[in-house]
């Protein structure tokens, strides 16, 4: 257990009903007792764990608030240390004042993620679960939150641990056989090992595939709206975001910079950018907007290509169709409230998904949601199965899968068994890095530095 007792505000820095100051460490309860007096007249120091006390908070003998203090005794707490949590009135001033009083009473300011880091270091949760705490906090949809909660519950860690255990068992018999070839150790054959490696390969591939489906739900999607001027891009942006953000006019070339917005499309968060209409132009300012739009299109994960369904396609439309060819793109035939004049066949053959909609009436929004969900396979996402949270975990899982695949290839080609052992060992190390059993302290520090203070 670390000696330093830490304190931080665990609630957002904004006006609110309740603000929580969390104190954790060996002296947490003694420090809280210096600033919090229960109405019962007893000292907090005598309190048992899992107890709530009503009382007052003092700063230098001046009463600053009425509050409730929760006491947790080590090891039965979030961090595994003694914890006192003072729930005072929320707001920008009071919570800070209570924190200041705790710091003056002997606590040190907590670093970002330090409470959860201590929980990890004290064996309260593994690294995969700790990372899911952050995903849970930042989850913006039901599915993403359910997946993060599952990881926190240990679904992923158990699956990874079980894959690692299978590989460890194979490695143990392999090592015995390699080290003592002349002893009476039962022969380990490729036929015995192959099914184990194949089973682990299929389980790890499933986890990675699921991550790809779930990523749009957990991380969101960078999307861009493109189209020639006047097809209704700004109207669409306003329709999707639910308020007037982009300027809508009949005058071509009005949107020059890139207007960005976070919107929810079904369960998916989209960081969506409305760009200048892409067309050939002599106007210097407009052409800067057009090249910004082209660059944005190149790096987007999803392109929403808007066409005016009420007009025949022109050269600028064909230019956009061409640019979307190498991208993950959905064609939107806008102005569906007017008679269709655009060549739908051309659009159908160029895009995997075509949605007819009217940005001005909102009709077609559900179809767009459905298309996006199918495109990112989020409709197949199962939040109850083992889910990876974040790139670090995906890289570890991918490394483990590569090790297993190399082991299978080595077995099939009849390479010596110690080579198989090396590949399996790499896979085991990658899996243990994922759960944190073998992660370096630099990796651990880097993970927790991404957390917010107070968590
Ligand atoms: P942008 O240049 O692509 O951003 O296009 P705007 O959003 O500024 O829209 C251009 C014109 O098309 C405006 O007069 C809009 O009112 C009109 N418009 C946009 N969407 C629709 C639609 O779904 N139906 C109809 N009838 N008009 C629309």
């Amino acid at each position: 257990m670390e000696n330093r007792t830490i304190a931080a505000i665990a609630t957002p820095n904004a006006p609110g009903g309740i603000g929580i100051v969390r104190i954790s460490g060996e002296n947490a309860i003694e420090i809280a007792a210096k600033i919090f007096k229960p109405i019962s007249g007893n000292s907090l120091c005598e309190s048992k764990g899992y107890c709530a006390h009503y009382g007052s908070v003092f700063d230098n003998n001046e009463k600053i608030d009425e509050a409730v203090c929760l006491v947790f005794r080590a090891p039965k707490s979030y961090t595994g240390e003694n914890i006192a949590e003072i729930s005072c009135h929320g707001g920008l001033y009071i919570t800070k004042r209570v924190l200041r009083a705790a710091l003056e009473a002997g606590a040190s300011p907590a670093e970002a993620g330090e409470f959860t880091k201590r929980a990890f270091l004290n064996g309260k949760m593994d690294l995969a679960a700790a990372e899911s705490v952050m995903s849970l906090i930042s989850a913006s949809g039901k599915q993403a939150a359910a997946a993060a909660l599952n990881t926190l519950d240990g679904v992923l860690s158990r699956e990874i641990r079980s894959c690692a255990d299978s590989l460890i068992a194979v490695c143990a018999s392999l090592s015995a056989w390699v080290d003592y070839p002349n002893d009476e150790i039962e022969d380990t054959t490729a036929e015995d090992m192959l099914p184990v490696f194949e089973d682990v390969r299929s389980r790890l591939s499933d986890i990675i595939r699921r991550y790809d489906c779930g990523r749009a739900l957990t991380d969101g999607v960078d999307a861009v709206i493109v189209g020639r001027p006047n097809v209704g891009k700004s109207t669409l942006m306003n329709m999707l975001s639910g308020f007037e953000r982009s300027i809508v006019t009949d005058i071509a070339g009005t949107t020059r910079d890139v207007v960005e917005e976070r919107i929810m499309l079904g369960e998916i968060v989209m960081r969506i950018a409305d760009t200048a209409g892409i067309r050939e132009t002599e106007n210097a300012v407009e052409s800067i907007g057009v090249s910004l739009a082209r660059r944005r299109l190149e790096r987007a994960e999803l392109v929403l290509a808007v066409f005016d369904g009420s007009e025949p396609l022109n050269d600028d439309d064909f230019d956009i169709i061409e640019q979307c060819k190498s991208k993950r793109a959905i064609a939107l035939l806008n102005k569906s409230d007017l008679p269709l004049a655009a060549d739908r066949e051309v659009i159908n053959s160029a895009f995997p998904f075509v949605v007819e909609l009217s940005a001005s009436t909102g009709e077609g929004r559900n179809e767009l949601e459905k298309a996006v969900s199918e495109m990112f396979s989020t409709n197949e996402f199962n939040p109850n199965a083992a889910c990876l949270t974040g790139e670090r975990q995906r890289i570890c899982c991918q490394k483990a899968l590569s090790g297993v695949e190399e082991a299978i290839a080595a077995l099939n080609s009849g390479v010596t068994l110690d080579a198989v052992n090396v590949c399996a060992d790499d896979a085991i190390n990658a899996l243990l890095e994922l759960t944190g059993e073998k992660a370096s302290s630099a990796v651990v520090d880097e993970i927790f530095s991404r957390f917010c203070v107070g968590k």
Side-chain angles (χ1 to χ4, degrees):
M1 200 188 284
E2 269 216 46
N3 282 334
R4 220 163 52 96
T5 293
I6 51 170
I9 298 171
T11 38
N13 184 18
I18 291 176
I20 296 177
V21 174
R22 186 183 256 176
I23 310 169
S24 178
E26 211 172 336
N27 301 321
I29 298 163
E30 285 73 21
I31 289 172
K34 287 190 197 164
I35 61 169
F36 180 89
K37 309 285 176 218
I39 206 121
S40 63
N42 298 329
S43 165
L44 273 190
C45 297
E46 273 118 52
S47 169
K48 285 194 280 191
Y50 292 138
C51 279
H53 303 267
Y54 175 61
S56 305
V57 187
F58 293 86
D59 185 9
N60 283 325
N61 294 327
E62 180 197 346
K63 178 174 163 178
I64 52 175
D65 199 9
E66 288 185 354
V68 170
C69 183
L70 301 180
V71 173
F72 302 85
R73 293 264 176 200
K76 294 182 176 171
S77 73
Y78 180 72
T79 55
E81 305 172 329
N82 287 336
I83 289 189
E85 254 181 33
I86 301 176
S87 302
C88 54
H89 287 100
L92 299 170
Y93 173 73
I94 289 290
T95 345
K96 277 191 189 146
R97 183 106 194 253
V98 174
L99 173 64
R100 205 174 66 201
L103 297 178
E104 277 167 13
S108 317
E111 289 164 13
E114 199 172 355
F115 292 95
T116 310
K117 184 177 179 182
R118 287 179 175 210
F120 164 67
L121 294 175
N122 291 327
K124 285 286 189 179
M125 58 176 85
D126 69 17
L127 212 45
E131 281 172 303
S132 69
V133 171
M134 209 52 211
S135 309
L136 192 57
I137 295 173
S138 49
S140 38
K142 191 169 137 196
Q143 301 258 59
L149 191 58
N150 248 313
T151 311
L152 186 57
D153 274 348
V155 176
L156 173 69
S157 305
R158 281 194 292 278
E159 179 69 357
I160 293 293
R161 191 62 236 197
S162 146
C163 289
D165 285 345
S166 301
L167 297 178
I168 288 167
V170 172
C171 276
S173 52
L174 261 178
S175 305
W177 187 83
V178 170
D179 293 346
Y180 309 102
N182 301 324
D183 286 15
E184 294 272 306
I185 293 170
E186 218 176 289
D187 231 5
T188 307
T189 63
E191 287 81 66
D192 299 331
M193 285 184 279
L194 255 181
V196 179
F197 283 121
E198 280 168 354
D199 173 58
V200 173
R201 175 176 63 182
S202 119
R203 287 158 76 185
L204 293 179
S205 313
D206 273 358
I207 295 176
I208 292 172
R209 197 174 36 76
R210 223 173 289 129
Y211 175 64
D212 289 335
C213 293
R215 196 159 34 169
L217 293 169
T218 50
D219 299 355
V221 172
D222 280 315
V224 65
I225 302 178
V226 295
R228 67 171 165 80
N230 269 334
V231 290
K233 297 180 298 300
S234 304
T235 313
L236 176 73
M237 181 74 161
N238 292 340
M239 184 267 263
L240 293 175
S241 62
F243 59 91
E244 297 252 323
R245 177 73 203 275
S246 298
I247 308 161
V248 177
T249 67
D250 287 335
I251 308 157
T254 331
T255 307
R256 286 185 169 161
D257 53 356
V258 178
V259 180
E260 275 186 312
E261 200 59 66
R262 272 167 68 92
I263 59 136
M264 282 301 281
L265 209 55
E267 279 274 313
I268 301 178
V269 176
M270 295 249 231
R271 290 173 294 276
I272 203 163
D274 176 18
T275 58
I278 294 181
R279 65 167 178 177
E280 289 305 320
T281 175
E282 299 288 308
N283 180 309
V285 180
E286 191 187 346
S287 77
I288 294 172
V290 172
S291 57
L292 271 179
R294 286 190 201 275
R295 254 184 280 150
R296 203 52 202 236
L297 188 144
E298 266 160 39
R299 54 165 234 255
E301 291 169 278
L302 171 67
V303 180
L304 298 177
V306 187
F307 300 94
D308 185 338
S310 69
E311 284 179 9
L313 299 173
N314 70 15
D315 286 349
D316 290 326
D317 291 318
F318 283 109
D319 176 30
I320 285 160
I321 292 175
E322 201 49 41
Q323 289 190 54
C324 287
K325 275 196 175 143
S326 55
K327 302 290 304 180
R328 214 197 273 244
I330 296 178
L332 303 180
L333 268 182
N334 190 30
K335 310 194 185 180
S336 64
D337 50 305
L338 302 175
L340 180 71
D343 190 341
R344 176 127 195 184
E345 286 307 305
V346 172
I347 305 273
N348 279 351
S349 61
F351 292 86
F353 293 92
V354 181
V355 175
E356 281 187 33
L357 55 69
S358 166
S360 44
T361 68
E363 214 174 325
R365 187 185 168 123
N366 289 346
E367 284 68 23
L368 174 59
E369 275 181 24
K370 210 165 136 252
V372 172
S373 151
E374 274 179 40
M375 179 158 255
F376 287 92
S377 311
T378 54
N379 47 344
E380 292 166 25
F381 180 66
N382 173 10
N384 299 320
C387 298
L388 299 169
T389 28
E391 272 302 295
R392 183 196 77 86
Q393 295 184 5
R394 192 195 60 79
I395 291 168
C396 289
C397 208
Q398 187 60 56
K399 253 197 253 170
L401 178 60
S402 306
V404 171
E405 281 171 343
E406 279 168 28
I408 292 174
L411 279 174
N412 285 333
S413 63
V415 180
T416 57
L417 290 184
D418 41 351
V420 177
N421 207 3
V422 170
C423 302
D425 217 37
D426 286 348
I428 295 167
N429 284 335
L431 293 175
L432 298 186
E433 190 180 329
L434 197 162
T435 60
E437 284 162 85
K438 271 205 170 169
S440 68
S441 58
V443 168
V444 172
D445 288 347
E446 147 63 22
I447 289 171
F448 289 102
S449 67
R450 283 184 255 133
F451 274 53
C452 43
V453 173
K455 193 62 228 171

